[in-house]
Amino acid sequence: MSTYVPAALRRQVIERASSCCEYCRFPQTVSLLAFEIEHIISEKHGGLTSLDNPALACPYCNRAKGTDLGSIDPKTQRLTPFFNPRTQTWHDHFTLTDAVITPLTAEGRVTVLILQFNILDRLQEREQLLRAGLYPGRN
Ligand SMILES: [Zn+2]
């Protein structure tokens, strides 16, 4: 979680993510908080700090995810991994319903739930960004 990430790798991760959180797609450019380099597979579970594991995450998503790898899907009751921004495509797992990020799959459901995409504060922020044309979720 707080491992040193070399500056060059940090830059590559931010560029690859187009400066948006790879989970909730919040743009870093309009955030007052610094985004974080998150380990998709946490170091605790053997994840490496090479280019194929880190993701750019907003502080909300990163803190909510912690070292977790997944959760119990509320629909199937099965242990399900989180959405993986390295191997999966956001629009295959989520869609926007107004400002609400609606999950389309089991991975989407556990990610929306545990990373708390749709709590009130975040919904209100997303609504404002959508109105201003600054939220990239529809692309
Ligand atoms: Zn996020």
Side-chain angles (χ1 to χ4, degrees):
M1 292 197 338
S2 57
T3 296
Y4 170 71
V5 178
L9 177 60
R10 177 175 292 272
R11 261 198 312 277
Q12 282 177 295
V13 171
I14 293 170
E15 251 180 57
R16 178 176 61 191
S18 304
S19 297
C20 292
C21 175
E22 296 191 65
Y23 294 100
C24 72
R25 310 202 99 194
F26 198 94
Q28 181 165 30
T29 47
V30 296
S31 175
L32 298 175
L33 304 167
F35 280 21
E36 295 155 1
I37 306 294
E38 188 266 337
H39 288 74
I40 296 169
I41 308 296
S42 59
E43 294 175 288
K44 179 180 172 181
H45 296 287
L48 302 174
T49 308
S50 55
L51 191 58
D52 58 351
N53 190 33
L56 187 65
C58 73
Y60 300 108
C61 287
N62 196 22
R63 275 181 218 139
K65 181 173 176 284
T67 60
D68 292 357
L69 304 176
S71 187
I72 306 296
D73 174 21
K75 193 169 173 185
T76 63
Q77 301 303 313
R78 292 209 173 136
L79 181 60
T80 304
F82 292 132
F83 164 71
N84 182 328
R86 289 288 71 74
T87 60
Q88 297 172 317
T89 303
W90 198 88
H91 287 285
D92 290 343
H93 294 272
F94 310 99
T95 190
L96 269 184
T97 312
D98 298 321
V100 175
I101 298 176
T102 305
L104 301 172
T105 60
E107 289 93 336
R109 282 191 295 273
V110 294
T111 305
V112 165
L113 184 73
I114 301 300
L115 275 60
Q116 304 177 333
F117 282 178
N118 297 317
I119 61 171
L120 190 59
D121 289 359
R122 296 179 76 182
L123 269 179
Q124 288 172 341
E125 273 185 330
R126 203 175 298 131
E127 241 162 45
Q128 289 175 351
L129 290 181
L130 280 164
R131 254 187 262 124
L134 295 172
Y135 181 76
R138 294 196 198 282
N139 302 334

